[in-house]
Amino acid sequence: MQHSNTQDTLVGLFVAAGIAGLFFLALQVSNLSSFSNKASYTISANFANSGGLKVRSPVSVAGVKIGQVSAISLDPKSYQSVVTMSIDAAYNQLPDDTTASVFTAGLLGEQYVSLEPGGSDTFLKDNGKIDITQPAIILEKAIGQFLFKAAEEKK
Amino acid sequence: MIEFLQHLGNGTLTSFGKLGRGSRFLIQILSGLTDTLARPRLLVNQLYSVGVLSFMLISISGLFVGMVLGLQGYYTLSDFGAEETLGVMVAASLVRELGPVVSALLFAGRAGSALTAEIGLMKATEQLSGMEMMAIDPIKRIISPRFLAGCIAMPLLAGLFSAIGIIGGELIGSGMLGVDDGAYWSQMQAKLDFQDDIINGVLKSIAFGFVSSWIALFEGYDAIPTSEGVSRATTRTVVNSAFSILGLDFILTALMFGDN
């Protein structure tokens, strides 16, 4: 039975190595470890335009990522974009007059939500809403306005 | 003209007949799986010959594919000053496409052809008929364990392939070309999703394992029981597996990653 025993060991080693490979992919390569198992709370904000924002785009304060966008939908009455964000529970001291803006990381980078805390003493709670927002800057629009202005000045 | 039509009709009927036999064969395999689970020893033996013996091939190929991806990706990405995203490129292409597909192609060449030759020779030397004479169902005793072993081994091999490839890409990227190691991993973790990328890659490889073991076993079981017939069946296994894997990969990719 010696032969069979080594075979068992090798098969065991193979299965263990395969599962280790899959675990490596799950924990080291994907975002499974970063957010899903941490406690978080949800806040939302209405933007006039959320631009190229996507689900899982980062939410940051002063450049530090504190959460991610969990859903984007359209408010059928105001035609505004409702961006729902899940924020790490460790950062539960955002004032309720926080400003939310959609920015682009670099010229070609992805878009993210930047929160700028205000001075209020009361904090945003779970399912809270950010009232002051600044829409995404659409590059074509900005260039269009600039050209239009330049043409006006020439006259 | 008549001859041509006869030829065409004959070819069509033969291929449909084969497809029908193949499907019936698959149902027989699946119904034999319960007996396989009752005798895990057979399964372990087959996992050895299908999985452990492919292990070296898969890991070395994975390492080199990852290293090549690191090298080629770096040259392209550094043109745009985006070499920090090398990790994303290597990991996404390995986990989504190359890991499942290349390991399935290697698996079809390494394990699939061996399965066909083994089953074909068993048929040629009338071992399968001998088993039937002893009231042992060769499908339950021989085919089903090999099929299940293929379906189990394939995702494990693909996972290993991707994992080793990503490490190979890191060796080249951060070890040789000077990409920042932290950026390599953190960009990768930020961009790859567990559900969308890893789970879909594993599902793909299970589908490939299913298809390539099915084709390999069927070609062996359906082979003309001569030495020439077995050699032709082995060739057909590799060719048909490669076609089905690549075709299936296109369909699965369109279904899984369509909305991204």
Side-chain angles (χ1 to χ4, degrees), chain A residues 36-47:
Chain A
S36 55
N37 49 3
K38 276 189 202 165
S40 62
Y41 66 102
T42 314
I43 55 175
S44 67
N46 282 19
F47 288 96

Side-chain angles (χ1 to χ4, degrees), chain B residues 150-171:
Chain B
C151 292
I152 294 174
M154 193 61 247
L156 297 176
L157 289 170
L160 265 172
F161 187 96
S162 305
I164 292 176
I166 289 165
I167 294 171
E170 191 220 356
L171 282 180

Side-chain angles (χ1 to χ4, degrees), chain A residues 56 110, chain B residues 85 88 96 186-193 197:
Chain A
R56 294 206 305 275
E110 55 174 357
Chain B
T85 54
V88 184
R96 289 181 176 182
S186 66
Q187 293 254 357
M188 190 190 298
Q189 286 167 9
K191 281 282 159 61
L192 263 72
D193 186 58
D197 296 316

Side-chain angles (χ1 to χ4, degrees), chain B:
Chain B
M1 188 63 196
I2 293 289
E3 216 166 81
F4 171 73
L5 282 179
Q6 273 177 343
H7 195 70
L8 195 72
N10 185 28
T12 317
L13 286 181
T14 314
S15 46
F16 274 115
K18 198 164 178 185
L19 188 63
R21 283 203 303 282
S23 310
R24 271 179 53 196
F25 182 69
L26 181 63
I27 293 168
Q28 283 177 312
I29 296 179
L30 293 178
S31 60
L33 283 180
T34 45
D35 295 71
T36 305
L37 292 176
R39 302 184 68 179
R41 158 81 15 214
L42 293 174
L43 181 65
V44 170
N45 286 341
Q46 291 315 314
L47 269 178
Y48 177 77
S49 64
V50 173
V52 177
L53 296 180
S54 313
F55 180 84
M56 278 313 276
L57 173 73
I58 295 284
S59 30
I60 292 174
S61 321
L63 183 68
F64 279 106
V65 167
M67 279 161 52
V68 166
L69 276 176
L71 211 56
Q72 291 285 12
Y74 179 80
Y75 290 136
T76 314
L77 291 172
S78 61
D79 279 351
F80 303 100
E83 56 265 33
E84 247 78 82
T85 54
L86 184 69
V88 184
M89 202 211 87
V90 171
S93 41
L94 274 170
V95 170
R96 289 181 176 182
E97 289 296 332
L98 291 176
V101 172
V102 176
S103 58
L105 291 175
L106 292 170
F107 179 83
R110 167 67 186 76
S113 58
L115 283 178
T116 308
E118 189 187 14
I119 307 285
L121 271 176
M122 278 185 177
K123 193 182 179 189
T125 52
E126 295 184 346
Q127 293 181 47
L128 296 182
S129 335
M131 281 189 166
E132 273 170 6
M133 292 290 284
M134 293 188 286
I136 300 170
D137 186 351
I139 301 246
K140 285 180 184 164
R141 182 73 172 72
I142 302 289
I143 309 284
S144 288
R146 283 166 175 72
F147 179 77
L148 189 60
C151 292
I152 294 174
M154 193 61 247
L156 297 176
L157 289 170
L160 265 172
F161 187 96
S162 305
I164 292 176
I166 289 165
I167 294 171
E170 191 220 356
L171 282 180
I172 291 295
S174 76
M176 213 175 89
L177 300 168
V179 174
D180 181 50
D181 203 36
Y184 185 88
W185 292 111
S186 66
Q187 293 254 357
M188 190 190 298
Q189 286 167 9
K191 281 282 159 61
L192 263 72
D193 186 58
F194 178 71
Q195 177 75 43
D196 282 355
D197 296 316
I198 312 283
I199 294 288
N200 278 348
V202 171
L203 287 180
K204 258 187 183 180
S205 62
I206 293 174
F208 296 158
F210 185 97
V211 168
S212 61
S213 329
W214 174 30
I215 291 177
L217 292 168
F218 175 67
E219 290 291 358
Y221 195 74
D222 201 49
I224 301 160
T226 59
S227 44
E228 197 198 351
V230 173
S231 91
R232 280 196 183 167
T234 313
T235 314
R236 272 203 308 273
T237 294
V238 177
V239 173
N240 291 349
S241 301
F243 277 144
S244 338
I245 287 166
L246 294 171
L248 192 64
D249 179 52
F250 174 74
I251 298 171
L252 288 178
T253 304
L255 284 177
M256 287 169 172
F257 303 112
D259 53 348
N260 270 17

